[in-house]
């Protein structure tokens, strides 16, 4: 397992528009999509899906009106998904740090933010160590200012299956 995940082969992002709703979709495909969408309630959230065979811990960083916030830990079972933030997204960029509890390793990036070993909500990203916190590198997720977004965390050694 790689110790970093800032590559498209290890992380993939699903945009909010289903393929059947894109311009030029055929009538039967569009009707099928309509049935599928009718069966699922509409929501606007930030979700993360763990496509790996490992149990994974997730920490999230983002900017709110009062400044920087980091939160953790969400424990995701293999092949599981979790809603990290509920409601319409208020920011374009979110930051993720993930730890593979089963096989070791992590998905990280260049944005340094505060964490700690147990459950946390930390305000501010400065002076992490001096304030008694750990400091980890988070990778950036650009949501393109969408109101809903799903991040798919995958094993860097396994290709991501194409989405219909």
């Amino acid at each position: 397992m790689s110790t970093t995940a800032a590559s498209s082969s290890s992380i993939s992002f699903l945009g909010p528009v289903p393929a059947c709703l894109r311009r030029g979709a055929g009538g039967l495909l569009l009707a099928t999509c309509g049935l599928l969408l009718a069966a699922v309630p509409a929501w606007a959230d930030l979700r993360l899906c763990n496509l790996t065979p490992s149990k994974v811990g997730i920490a999230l960083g983002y900017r709110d009106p009062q400044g920087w916030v980091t939160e953790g830990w969400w424990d995701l079972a293999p092949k599981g998904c979790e809603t990290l933030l509920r409601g319409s997204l208020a920011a374009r960029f979110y930051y993720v740090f993930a730890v593979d509890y089963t096989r070791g390793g992590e998905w990280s990036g260049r944005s340094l933010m505060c964490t700690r070993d147990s459950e946390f909500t930390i305000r501010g990203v400065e002076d992490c160590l001096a304030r008694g916190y750990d400091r980890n590198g988070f990778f950036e997720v650009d949501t393109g200012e969408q109101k809903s977004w799903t991040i798919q965390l995958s094993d860097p050694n396994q290709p991501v299956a194409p989405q219909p």
Side-chain angles (χ1 to χ4, degrees), residues 108-164:
S108 62
R110 295 182 189 171
S111 299
L112 297 177
M113 298 185 179
C114 304
T115 63
R116 70 178 205 193
D117 288 339
S118 58
E119 185 177 330
F120 66 90
T121 298
I122 300 170
R123 288 240 163 238
V125 295
E126 66 288 332
D127 302 321
C128 298
L129 301 175
R131 295 190 296 150
Y133 300 120
D134 297 322
R135 184 176 66 179
N136 288 291
F138 287 57
F139 65 85
E140 183 177 87
V141 176
D142 182 352
T143 67
E145 298 183 5
Q146 299 297 318
K147 297 303 177 194
S148 182
W149 200 261
T150 297
I151 304 163
Q152 292 188 345
L153 191 63
S154 62
D155 188 328
N157 300 320
Q158 299 295 321
V160 176
Q163 297 296 317

